[in-house]
Amino acid sequence: MDTGVGVGSEAHRRPARAHLWPVLPLAAAAWWVGGALPWILDGLGARSPRNWPYDVATGSATDGYISLLPFITARLGLLLTITLVGGGLAALATLWVRPRAGRRLRVAVLATLGALTSGAYTIAQSAGATRQLGSDFDRDDRVIVGVLAVAVLGTVLGLVLGLLVALGGPVLRALAAAPLAVALGSWVSAVVVALLGLQRSLGLLQWSSVVVGVAAGLALAGLGLRPARRLVAWLAALVLLSVCAAGQTAFSYLASYLRPRSGLPNGLRDHVEASRDVFLAALSPANQAWGVHLVALVVGLLGSLVLWRRPRTPPRGGARQAPGQAARHTPAPADDRHAGATTS
């Protein structure tokens, strides 16, 4: 005897995915809890890895100050990584809602509001904490404005790229995934360092390039090989992967000079020009990470093959037609000549 429990539970689960409002809190949580995970594991700026019994016994944790984001120039590269990955994770909150026509704009707006709300609070708290308790260099208004600009631009860029990955077409998804893949590799490295410490994680950091290649390869797998013009998008995605990796290297080089006694602000122009030279040098064939491209191509080709060979799922609610059974033709009803007549 069917009690209808399974049907009732299924009917109860369906409306949960139909609500739009959970996208906003999910995006807000994903932006900080997910994006800033390396900073959270590090104890919001304390020693890495944290030794909580030692900190409590010695009181060393009180030497620093709580900052929800790494709002100092020494961690500028980590700040950019956090905001980029956080924006991408916040955009994935749109996957909570089942795909339906007319909902993309609304879920994108909710995800944007959630990420910007979380970003506004954490950025304001971090800037205020640094202004009050940071070093003389980090408390300088010009430095704080520059760090704030990096945090805001990284959040917006990561959110736009994430929305393209979650809601865009195959070509846009593959192109937008390339910068996020580069940021994801740095994010994974930062998580490993926060958990194990720098010395114990040196042997694992070399595998971060594999993470970049796999992430980019999954995007290429979704792109597919048909039609043949998709191969141009494959090439563009790989080129964009190299450009973003070179940009990351140049930005790290520039951030290393944003410190006291480095000739700032008069020497900023020289540092920017030197970073440009580093960017161009990183684009040369001799300095390319060809292994990352190889991993991306292998994963992309294998994924495309799997998706191509996977049988298509029949539409829901429609019964499969038996083999050899011809479809019956139902004639259209004739026009009713008395349709406009009224009864008295």
Side-chain angles (χ1 to χ4, degrees), residues 44-46 59-67 133:
L44 302 181
S60 61
T62 60
D63 296 338
Y65 59 92
I66 295 178
S67 177
L133 303 173

Side-chain angles (χ1 to χ4, degrees), residues 316-327:
R316 296 182 179 179
R320 292 187 178 181
Q321 186 177 0
Q325 181 180 359

Side-chain angles (χ1 to χ4, degrees), residues 76-119:
L76 205 58
L78 179 60
L79 177 63
L80 182 60
T81 297
I82 284 175
T83 52
L84 282 173
V85 175
L89 293 176
L92 294 182
T94 59
L95 301 179
W96 165 264
V97 181
R98 295 177 184 268
R100 188 178 298 178
R103 285 192 168 190
R104 287 190 174 186
L105 180 59
R106 285 183 286 175
V107 296
V109 170
L110 288 175
T112 301
L113 289 177
L116 293 182
T117 300
S118 180

Side-chain angles (χ1 to χ4, degrees), residues 177-263:
L180 292 178
V182 175
L184 182 62
S186 299
W187 184 87
V188 172
S189 298
V191 169
V192 173
V193 171
L195 289 174
L196 303 178
L198 182 59
Q199 296 298 326
R200 288 187 293 175
S201 61
L202 289 177
L204 297 176
L205 294 181
Q206 58 184 350
W207 294 98
S208 62
S209 58
V210 178
V211 175
V212 177
V214 171
L218 292 177
L220 294 177
L223 181 60
L225 298 172
R226 294 183 179 182
R229 59 177 178 272
R230 290 282 177 89
L231 297 179
V232 178
W234 278 61
L235 179 60
L238 294 176
V239 171
L240 190 58
L241 193 69
S242 298
V243 172
C244 293
Q248 184 185 57
T249 302
F251 183 81
S252 301
Y253 179 85
L254 176 62
S256 65
Y257 281 96
L258 300 179
R259 65 178 189 272
R261 295 179 297 275
S262 60

Side-chain angles (χ1 to χ4, degrees), residues 37-184:
L37 183 61
W39 185 248
I40 296 173
L41 294 176
D42 193 41
L44 302 181
R47 295 182 301 107
S48 177
R50 291 301 304 270
N51 188 346
W52 292 103
Y54 176 82
D55 292 340
V56 173
T58 61
S60 61
T62 60
D63 296 338
Y65 59 92
I66 295 178
S67 177
L68 298 180
L69 292 174
F71 226 71
I72 53 179
T73 55
R75 300 291 189 100
L76 205 58
L78 179 60
L79 177 63
L80 182 60
T81 297
I82 284 175
T83 52
L84 282 173
V85 175
L89 293 176
L92 294 182
T94 59
L95 301 179
W96 165 264
V97 181
R98 295 177 184 268
R100 188 178 298 178
R103 285 192 168 190
R104 287 190 174 186
L105 180 59
R106 285 183 286 175
V107 296
V109 170
L110 288 175
T112 301
L113 289 177
L116 293 182
T117 300
S118 180
Y121 176 79
T122 53
I123 290 173
Q125 188 277 339
S126 304
T130 302
R131 186 184 296 275
Q132 294 179 5
L133 303 173
S135 62
D136 293 337
F137 179 80
D138 291 320
R139 286 187 296 177
D140 190 283
D141 289 339
R142 294 166 294 184
V143 175
I144 288 182
V145 169
V147 177
L148 188 146
V150 171
V152 172
L153 291 176
T155 298
V156 174
L157 180 59
L159 185 60
V160 171
L161 293 175
L163 289 175
L164 290 177
V165 171
L167 303 176
V171 175
L172 288 177
R173 187 183 301 121
L175 296 178
L180 292 178
V182 175
L184 182 62

